[in-house]
Amino acid sequence: MRWINRRPRRGAEMLLLCLPFAALVAAYLIGSAIRLDANPADKLLPSPAQLWAGIQRIALMPDPRTGEWLLWSDTAASLMRLAAGLGIATVIALLLGMAVGLLPYLRASLGAFVAFLSMVPPLALLPILFITLGLGEAAKICLIVIGVAPIMTRDLALRVHEIPREMIVKAETLSASTWLIALRVVLPQVLPRLLTSLRLQLGPAFLFLIAAEAISADAGLGYRIFLVRRYLAMDVIFPYVAWITLLAVLADIAIDRLRSRVFPWSDLERGA
Amino acid sequence: MRWINRRPRRGAEMLLLCLPFAALVAAYLIGSAIRLDANPADKLLPSPAQLWAGIQRIALMPDPRTGEWLLWSDTAASLMRLAAGLGIATVIALLLGMAVGLLPYLRASLGAFVAFLSMVPPLALLPILFITLGLGEAAKICLIVIGVAPIMTRDLALRVHEIPREMIVKAETLSASTWLIALRVVLPQVLPRLLTSLRLQLGPAFLFLIAAEAISADAGLGYRIFLVRRYLAMDVIFPYVAWITLLAVLADIAIDRLRSRVFPWSDLERGA
Amino acid sequence: GHARAEEKTDFKVAWSIYAGWMPWGYAADNGIVQKWADKYGIAIEVTQFNDYVESMNQFTAGGYDAVTLTNMDGLSIPAAGGVDTTAVIVGDFSAGNDAVILKDGTALTDIAGRPVNLVEFSVSHYLLARALDSVGLSERDVSIVNTADPDMVGAFQTPDVTAMVTWNPMASEIAALPGATKVFDSAQIPGEIIDLMVANTEVLQDNPDFGKALAGIWYETTALMVADTPEGAAARAAMGAASGTDGAGYEAQLAATRLFDKPAEAVAFVNSPDLATTMDHVRGFLFDKGLLGPTAPSADAVGIELPSGQVLGDGANVKLRFTDDWMQMAADGAL
Amino acid sequence: MSAISVENVWKEYGDQVVLENLSLQIADRAFVALVGPSGCGKTTFLRMILGQERPTRGRILLDGQPLPPEPGPDRGVVYQRYSVFPHLTVGGNVMLGPELRGARLTGRRFGAARRRLADEARAMIAAVGLAGSEDKYPAQLSGGMQQRLALAQALMMRPRVLLLDEPFGALDPGIRADIHQLMKRLWNEVPMTAVMVTHDLREAFTLATRVIALERLRDRPEERERYGARITRDISIWPPRVAGQRTSFDPPEGAEPPL
Amino acid sequence: MSAISVENVWKEYGDQVVLENLSLQIADRAFVALVGPSGCGKTTFLRMILGQERPTRGRILLDGQPLPPEPGPDRGVVYQRYSVFPHLTVGGNVMLGPELRGARLTGRRFGAARRRLADEARAMIAAVGLAGSEDKYPAQLSGGMQQRLALAQALMMRPRVLLLDEPFGALDPGIRADIHQLMKRLWNEVPMTAVMVTHDLREAFTLATRVIALERLRDRPEERERYGARITRDISIWPPRVAGQRTSFDPPEGAEPPL
Ligand SMILES: Nc1ncnc2c1ncn2[C@@H]1O[C@H](COP(=O)(O)OP(=O)(O)OP(=O)(O)O)[C@@H](O)[C@H]1O
Ligand SMILES: Nc1ncnc2c1ncn2[C@@H]1O[C@H](COP(=O)(O)OP(=O)(O)OP(=O)(O)O)[C@@H](O)[C@H]1O
Ligand SMILES: [Mg+2]
Ligand SMILES: [Mg+2]
């Protein structure tokens, strides 16, 4: 039988799913053992015990200096920035994307500009951002917004534009004004897509967050990683990276659940 | 008439297109004039004359210290890395994406893993990368690959999976083996999508390139930006940012042209 | 907004994480800044930067009134950027904190022909230039690879890195790695890499109280931290933790730092003729690298004023000023 | 009253003439079926009546008044696809028109007004045979049910003119016969003029009071660009059907023979 | 020889019984039309013959041999949609099967072999009336032309069994009549057994030698899960049509009356 037609059984499926993760862990353990064998003070791949000690230090006991549970205060600081940045970007993308997608005048004037903006490398603009907005939360949030909003806007405008013209005309025959078309026909149809677009931007948003926190911050996941990087404290960096990944995966799942819960019809459409 | 139905005329269209760009330039000139008025030695927003001098220095005459035309040698170094990184990522995405999308066994085992990988923040892994691969070109290229390959792979696997089952069965009735289905049915159908996916990853790829070059390099666009950031030489940074944006836009257009030229049917499909 | 020359009461100070500057963070966390600000009826906001370059840029762009930096960066960044800068406090100089480290080599001369990883145009670059000078080599005998400071430790463990110039805490981490040998360090050019707290000259002239407050903060904090008391140990531990290490690690870094915790010593240092020699080396190096501005015709382009009133370079374009005014006040107990 | 008069209408896209000098009077409450080969401009013609396109030359009058230049609630439309909103339930789709008309700011009705509207919608949904599916989404309906829904949605606005662009083309023959029945009843009961594009001659003759064929008379490749389609046949059904009156020739309701 | 025998076949999806104890003998070179209401399992039945699905119980034999468990070149298929490859031209689509069969590594023929194949393909393309469109992509063809192409593509493999799942459901009646003609001719000329699912009874009776109706006898909601569809009618067309022979009852070729 062709491989294309062979399907793993239920039990085997679970096993196959875990296999690459197990392989990753195994590779790590072996690598770590080899390096530590050669140089017991090696810091690059800490042993499980060292990792656990690191995790305890950052997550399970307060920092002796500030009395804060580092991982949690860092997470709170970062998530706040992330939520603010992504929130603002989403609102911008929604408003601008709908307007550009719907109104020919705006499309003519802003379409190319937004495409252009989405190509500007935001990291290179960091100095300007910090100088104009100062070093507070504003600049960090703004970097996230600049990094993800143009792409989300572009995507949304495209989706709006893809709504069949027939539907818009139909709404017009139901006496809708431009405003009502936007509000009751286009907005609800692109909201699920907006959430999907948001999911796709989670990765880049974390990236910009880390980059911004690397430059100036006194808390945050990226801040901590860059702070301890000077000492190659991989026993802190690995747990932080794993934690960030976990947060991103959870956010991804949560947003998709939200979409499916709030817009049940968007699942039906997909199947059709 | 509703705004939704009003369309700009041909001439007005061109004007509208240029408007936001003109506004951006105007905002810059005003900001620059204000700052230079307050402090003639201010470096943040150089005057057009200063910018032009900067451009001349980096692009139109050899660097007195090294005898190199900086912009061009930096561009060559960066584009080489970018091309290598994106090339490798594309090949990985193609092979792995097709395999995961086509073969149920691989899908069961690698699907979730690739999704997980695409959520790992690559910047946080830079130290490990540098230590395992050294500081040379390999690490920079690898950062680009790690940054973009999982997302491209995921996207491609999804596209492969979206090919109607009917088409695969049809190919089977035409005596195709798994290999031939992959080669003659799936591959050509997903190649255009691969190119589109590649276009979408240009932005992130530039980002990773800049981040990698900021950490260790002796030439490259990101290297130069972060080097001259030391003395806030915005008269070099702005032209570099504009140049990177231009390169990204050109690459974007070139890849789309290529797709349309090599796979003419993919344009037809879209219209359908 | 831009730091304008006028009387004001709100001041912003930037500092970044480095052994000799940790007292600023400690002072801010422990109410010492508040205490001195209150004394002079002003407000001082102290901001920590993860990224040293960014802190200097912010100062140059006018976002901050004072910043911690080295003598060399003070000349090449704010001063060459047109911002008239005054060194309020000479906090310490590096006496071993910056080092040239080789892999598979025991003498500095082994560096010839190797790629050297360092932060380009930083004090490490300067240290390398001075080190090469001392054995009759020049920069042409090596090749420079710009490498970000947080990644130095990791980078050194890769096979293609065989020579590195960096500062603490990375330098001591690296020197402890197997196969690493420190072949030159800043203790061999004492007093040339100086860590300063600089302020915008105009701001300072219009608000001398700001300078007094800075001096007050600095000397109260350093007195506390060098004290051989439990409080002193606690302060050092806190500063160590803030820089990402622990008390012992931090004390090791301090050992390689000539900290001026007594104002009189600092006054003597800036008034010694060696400072002119040092700054002459520095500006020569910067001019060589094109860091005094693309249009600078010579190393004299930017004037440097010394406490004696002597000016190195263009007297009409003095942008970097060394003074003992505030440190002298501290020495006199006049704060 | 809702008579349409089309006066010397031409439609060109760039150099290509699609419709050539069309003139036509459609009486109030007529049911016109428009047939013709693919690409001859039937949809284009409908779009012009709808206000989605404007004639290149000539004019179209509705009861003697020039047409508004954009679609509005006086002209309803049912397309072959995309006629209902996927994000609204059956009830939501049917209520949408009156809601939009009644609440110009929020596009939603609340309280008593909403309840009244919901009752009206329920009646209309029942009239098209969708009773019980009020809370389903279009994707949960079969093709035939979706087209019924589109009809109900359009009829809620009581349009003076109902335009149908191959509304039943995608349906199975059995379902199509069903919906033909419904269409006839609605046309009899609701005061409107209907214009329907169809590919199916049988459908045209089953439903219409008048069948109009559009055709390109000169269809050689070199002539294609320069000559458009014209009306080649204009057949009034005999015995004449009149809205609201059944003729003895129509089979009794419910007794339509299956195809 | 290509007789199909279906022996006590059940098909269940989870708890839901779709087909219940189906037994059926299909003679060599028969043309079976499968009709029945939507969702009764016609496509499922076809999929099982194709090898895309396996019966839950019972077995299917092809000429007395158990069916291979996956689709292969002995059984061709034409679906309503997605039957041709959008990335290949008409010529490429038609040549694909023989190319795949002949070149197991590259899936491409070169040189003389390719030229021979191209000639063969051109003949087949002409046979289905697509001569001249060899270099067009499917998206440039109308729906009817695409289905002709799908037929040509399947026939190039000379399958013993040709399975058709509502192949003409999406076509306009005029075009459908055309393609029915073609279908009849092909079935007469190419030695194969055909099984066609259709919704259109007229089509079934126009083309088939035998019409089989599937239906759920117990279709009350509470019974739906537990009882599947069965064969409710099995009508042999009279006078019998035999492949390769025209009966005097069939109208002469080209004289099929328009619908
Ligand atoms: N927006 C447009 N721009 C250019 N040409 C167009 C446009 N819309 C339609 N046409 C052309 O006008 C002609 C008539 O198109 P139309 O859609 O009205 O045909 P139709 O009779 O509805 O065909 P069908 O039966 O296939 O729906 C076609 O040749 C088409 O290519
Ligand atoms: N993969 C599957 N999993 C679960 N149920 C399925 C699956 N495929 C089909 N079914 C169910 O089996 C029944 C028969 O489906 P099938 O597609 O064979 O019907 P059909 O007769 O072809 O209908 P139609 O005329 O609409 O094409 C349906 O109730 C369907 O929901
Ligand atoms: Mg049409
Ligand atoms: Mg079916």
Side-chain angles (χ1 to χ4, degrees), chain A residues 18-41:
Chain A
C18 298
L19 210 68
F21 291 94
L24 188 69
V25 171
Y28 178 87
L29 290 179
I30 294 171
S32 162
I34 292 176
R35 282 191 75 101
L36 286 172
D37 198 45
N39 169 17

Side-chain angles (χ1 to χ4, degrees), chain B residues 19-269:
Chain B
L19 210 68
F21 292 94
L24 188 70
V25 171
Y28 179 87
L29 290 181
I30 293 172
S32 162
I34 291 176
R35 283 191 74 98
L36 287 172
D37 196 45
N39 169 17
D42 181 69
K43 291 176 132 190
L44 188 66
L45 301 178
S47 71
Q50 289 169 323
L51 276 179
W52 176 240
I55 294 172
Q56 276 192 314
R57 211 150 19 85
I58 57 174
L60 305 179
M61 48 177 84
D63 183 50
R65 207 153 61 90
T66 60
E68 278 181 335
W69 271 261
L70 287 185
L71 182 67
W72 310 116
S73 58
D74 284 342
T75 305
S78 284
L79 286 190
M80 215 89 87
R81 290 168 190 145
L82 202 68
L86 282 175
I88 294 172
T90 306
V91 171
I92 291 177
L94 188 63
L95 297 182
L96 206 59
M98 289 225 335
V100 168
L102 263 180
L103 306 178
Y105 268 89
L106 270 185
R107 186 156 58 248
S109 116
L110 288 181
F113 189 63
V114 170
F116 162 82
L117 282 188
S118 71
M119 291 287 178
V120 176
L123 281 192
L125 293 178
L126 260 180
I128 305 171
L129 216 59
F130 277 123
I131 289 170
T132 44
L133 293 175
L135 285 173
E137 299 300 291
K140 294 178 198 95
I141 292 169
C142 191
L143 180 71
I144 297 177
V145 173
I146 289 183
V148 307
I151 295 175
M152 284 178 76
T153 304
R154 219 179 146 186
D155 184 49
L156 209 75
L158 208 74
R159 295 293 153 166
V160 171
H161 199 54
E162 272 175 8
I163 291 180
R165 190 74 205 167
E166 284 89 342
M167 249 179 227
I168 308 289
V169 172
K170 177 88 191 198
E172 290 183 89
T173 67
L174 299 178
S175 78
S177 60
T178 292
W179 160 248
L180 284 173
I181 289 174
L183 183 71
R184 294 236 36 209
V185 175
V186 174
L187 178 69
Q189 287 200 53
V190 295
L191 276 181
R193 176 64 204 184
L194 184 72
L195 291 181
T196 303
S197 183
L198 183 62
R199 275 171 68 203
L200 290 178
Q201 293 304 315
L202 277 176
F206 261 109
L207 208 84
F208 293 120
L209 177 76
I210 291 175
E213 287 181 344
I215 287 189
S216 170
D218 50 12
L221 299 168
Y223 160 79
R224 191 72 52 196
I225 287 179
F226 273 77
L227 185 65
V228 304
R229 193 173 76 100
R230 258 199 105 73
Y231 44 96
L232 204 66
M234 300 309 290
D235 56 340
V236 173
I237 293 184
F238 277 124
Y240 264 73
V241 170
W243 176 238
I244 291 175
T245 307
L246 184 71
L247 286 177
V249 169
L250 289 181
D252 186 74
I253 295 175
I255 296 175
D256 198 44
R257 285 269 166 83
L258 180 75
R259 181 195 55 70
S260 173
R261 174 75 52 95
V262 181
F263 309 107
W265 57 271
S266 61
D267 281 326
L268 297 173
E269 279 300 289

